[in-house]
Amino acid sequence: MAMPLYEDSLGPLAKRPRVDYNTNTIERFGNPVLLPPQLVEIQLAKKSSEGEQPNHVLLFTVLNPTYPITCEVLHTIASPFGKLLRVVIFKKNGVQAMCEFDSLESAQRAKDSLHGCDIYSGCCTLKIEYAKPTKLNVYKNDNESFDYTNPNLGKNMIEQPCTALATQRPVLLKDPLLSAGETTVSPLTVAIRPHHMYATPQQVAVSLGSGQPINMASLLSPTMPRLPSPNHQGGMMMHHQAHHPSHNSPVMGGQCHQGTMVQTQSMSPPSIQPQGSVTMVYGLDCHKMSCTRIFNIFCLYGNVVRVKFLKTKEGCAMVQMGDSLAVERVVTNLNNITFYDSKMQLGFSKQAFLADVQQPYELPDGSPSFMDFMGNKNNRFINPEMASKNRIQPPSKILHFFNTPPGLEASDIEEIFLGQNTPRPKCIKMFPSKTERSSSGLIEFECLSEALESLVMANHVPVENPNGKFPYIMKLCFSSSKAIPAVIH
């Protein structure tokens, strides 16, 4: 028998119980009753009486929490909007959680995008406000508290499954529906969605209500596993993406607009290992390579999130890219290239993401063995406009340099490179200046390995600005030119 909604279950008006909507669900005679859509909307629109102060810590209130809400669920839905540092879940007034982000901007993005969304179809609606604390204290890593800056607080790294299903409100994750072999079902589940039982969903809807079309391919990738149902403890780890809307997911026919239904391809079976956003790097010269130098070459093919050298495996590092497409581009273009008399080999990692390293060891050059580049302005795929300007080219012995001060001569460019101890260039050609704001051109080296060494050493080098106090940041990329022409028009 389906459970009635709240208004139908209270009986005569005079005998209705007092309701505290902060508890998010109502119990009558021991049975849970759902808040009706009208009351959910009232709660979403209700403002704090004390007024909100912007904060990088957010208070999540879950209305109609039909299914368990864990740190892995909150991390999955919040991490696309910024780096999540800590999560604490408490159940004094229903189900609430505090999520601490790395910056106010990340918290604002998450609040604007997730407020009013359903975690699962038809339930677990998110009301998001700014919290009062400025830092969360986590004493152990489990389902109800997690410190992502210190994963050693828990024995097991948290899993991060993610997908989505359609509803009238924006839905962040697919329903954890029961499979045909499961026999246990709660009356609340039947009341919410009797027509969904034993379904195999193939449609996904995404409509984050910020007013701007958002491509959520990072949450809908067919390589990601399904979210396990509440009766299952297993599951597979997904990759942590910092997705960029310029790339269309193979699942989706372009960008997904608010309220748009998208027909997906068939989902990969859970037994298939999902491709993540971490790549393994072998064959590095640790005396000449560093996290920054890895960033300088990998950033040509996608956003670089974190770089970590492995102390137990000399010459080996792990790089977390912004998404799996970036990993594919890196492996396709950089695998088996030789520079510093060593062949660099790349492979796909089984690890879902790179955790923060609190005390990285020092590399031979004195730089740290772990660096986080998530907010680095030298990433080139931060937004669609920036991503569209990148031309994916395989390595070549001719480099294109740009964003250098106006009025430079070829000798000035050579001096900049030699100042970084790069091999001496074979030829340099300046492009005719189309603007007085900057200069650009081509630089050729004797061989591919010298061009690669010069790129990792001189990419993003600051160049003195004769007309201002802030330096230019010279940027390099591989050129499609086979040879530098004698005259550049």
Side-chain angles (χ1 to χ4, degrees):
M1 178 179 178
M3 180 180 300
L5 289 179
Y6 175 67
E7 303 100 315
D8 303 323
S9 67
L10 296 181
L13 183 62
K15 297 183 180 180
R16 292 185 182 182
R18 177 182 176 275
V19 179
D20 180 2
Y21 294 118
N22 289 327
T23 59
N24 310 332
T25 54
I26 310 303
E27 282 200 10
R28 181 174 176 84
F29 306 120
N31 296 318
V33 180
L34 290 176
L35 288 177
Q38 300 92 328
L39 294 181
V40 170
E41 295 300 326
I42 291 175
Q43 289 296 302
L44 292 176
K46 188 177 180 181
K47 303 293 184 181
S48 172
S49 60
E50 300 179 10
E52 288 186 307
Q53 295 295 326
N55 189 5
H56 67 286
V57 180
L58 297 179
L59 173 63
F60 283 53
T61 301
V62 184
L63 306 172
N64 286 338
T66 308
Y67 294 110
I69 303 300
T70 62
C71 289
E72 62 177 331
V73 171
L74 296 177
H75 184 275
T76 299
I77 64 177
S79 57
F81 303 98
K83 184 177 179 181
L84 194 60
L85 303 182
R86 299 171 189 86
V87 178
V88 175
I89 299 174
F90 47 97
K91 299 177 181 179
K92 181 178 179 181
N93 291 321
V95 177
Q96 293 181 299
M98 287 193 183
C99 298
E100 180 182 348
F101 289 84
D102 64 330
S103 66
L104 178 60
E105 291 75 17
S106 298
Q108 288 174 333
R109 284 195 300 269
K111 182 176 183 294
D112 293 341
S113 298
L114 299 179
H115 178 74
C117 295
D118 286 353
I119 297 180
Y120 301 111
S121 181
C123 64
C124 300
T125 305
L126 289 175
K127 177 182 178 181
I128 303 180
E129 305 164 278
Y130 291 115
K132 293 180 180 179
T134 57
K135 184 177 180 179
L136 300 180
N137 294 320
V138 176
Y139 300 101
K140 64 176 180 177
N141 290 342
D142 55 24
N143 283 336
E144 296 190 349
S145 63
F146 208 100
D147 187 343
Y148 295 95
T149 67
N150 186 10
N152 293 329
L153 281 176
K155 293 183 179 180
N156 298 319
M157 183 60 65
I158 195 164
E159 301 177 47
Q160 303 170 50
C162 173
T163 183
L165 193 68
T167 186
Q168 291 181 350
R169 273 192 228 91
V171 176
L172 302 174
L173 299 176
K174 180 174 71 65
D175 284 331
L177 299 177
L178 298 175
S179 65
E182 293 176 315
T183 57
T184 304
V185 55
S186 70
L188 195 55
T189 304
V190 177
I192 295 174
R193 50 184 73 78
H195 58 290
H196 284 168
M197 295 302 296
Y198 309 123
T200 306
Q202 297 296 328
Q203 291 181 316
V204 182
V206 173
S207 53
L208 291 181
S210 61
Q212 297 293 329
I214 297 178
N215 186 339
M216 292 296 288
S218 64
L219 298 181
L220 301 176
S221 170
T223 62
M224 294 183 187
R226 297 181 179 182
L227 187 70
S229 71
N231 293 329
H232 285 95
Q233 299 300 321
M236 294 163 50
M237 297 185 73
M238 69 162 232
H239 56 284
H240 175 194
Q241 299 190 4
H243 180 73
H244 307 285
S246 58
H247 306 299
N248 292 329
S249 166
V251 178
M252 305 166 63
Q255 289 195 344
C256 188
H257 296 264
Q258 184 168 357
T260 303
M261 289 293 297
V262 182
Q263 186 72 28
T264 69
Q265 299 172 359
S266 59
M267 302 290 285
S268 300
S271 60
I272 296 178
Q273 176 66 35
Q275 178 183 315
S277 56
V278 178
T279 180
M280 299 295 303
V281 187
Y282 304 95
L284 297 173
D285 185 338
C286 290
H287 292 276
K288 296 181 179 179
M289 290 298 290
S290 63
C291 293
T292 299
R293 290 185 173 183
I294 289 179
F295 173 86
N296 284 344
I297 187 170
F298 276 57
C299 70
L300 273 58
Y301 301 101
N303 289 324
V304 179
V305 180
R306 296 181 180 93
V307 179
K308 175 184 177 181
F309 277 81
L310 303 183
K311 191 172 185 179
T312 57
K313 296 182 179 179
E314 185 175 355
C316 181
M318 303 178 74
V319 181
Q320 180 182 340
M321 302 296 292
D323 52 46
S324 59
L325 294 177
V327 173
E328 291 179 5
R329 289 193 293 265
V330 163
V331 173
T332 300
N333 290 280
L334 299 182
N335 190 29
N336 291 323
I337 61 174
T338 299
F339 59 105
Y340 291 132
D341 298 322
S342 182
K343 178 183 287 188
M344 183 175 72
Q345 295 181 310
L346 306 181
F348 298 100
S349 172
K350 295 180 181 180
Q351 191 160 327
F353 61 94
L354 297 182
D356 286 335
V357 178
Q358 295 301 304
Q359 296 180 331
Y361 69 93
E362 281 192 0
L363 297 175
D365 66 353
S367 64
S369 60
F370 172 85
M371 290 185 68
D372 191 321
F373 296 95
M374 183 175 293
N376 195 296
K377 294 182 180 179
N378 291 325
N379 270 315
R380 304 183 184 183
F381 295 76
I382 295 176
N383 55 52
E385 182 180 2
M386 291 180 63
S388 65
K389 296 178 180 179
N390 295 299
R391 297 181 180 179
I392 306 300
Q393 297 288 343
S396 75
K397 65 179 182 178
I398 299 179
L399 303 179
H400 171 49
F401 64 88
F402 56 100
N403 199 47
T404 48
L408 294 187
E409 302 291 339
S411 58
D412 299 320
I413 298 298
E414 182 179 36
E415 184 178 343
I416 293 171
F417 274 81
L418 295 180
Q420 301 300 315
N421 298 317
T422 69
R424 184 174 294 275
K426 176 182 178 182
C427 178
I428 301 175
K429 286 288 185 180
M430 303 296 298
F431 288 144
S433 179
K434 297 181 181 180
T435 174
E436 296 182 355
R437 297 176 58 185
S438 64
S439 59
S440 60
L442 298 176
I443 181 168
E444 182 179 2
F445 292 86
E446 288 289 348
C447 59
L448 177 59
S449 61
E450 289 189 358
L452 289 165
E453 293 168 12
S454 299
L455 186 142
V456 300
M457 297 169 72
N459 198 10
H460 305 127
V461 164
V463 181
E464 184 179 355
N465 180 4
N467 300 317
K469 61 179 181 178
F470 298 107
Y472 283 75
I473 304 299
M474 182 176 71
K475 297 187 178 183
L476 304 174
C477 63
F478 297 114
S479 173
S480 59
S481 302
K482 302 301 180 183
I484 296 181
V487 179
I488 298 179
H489 299 285

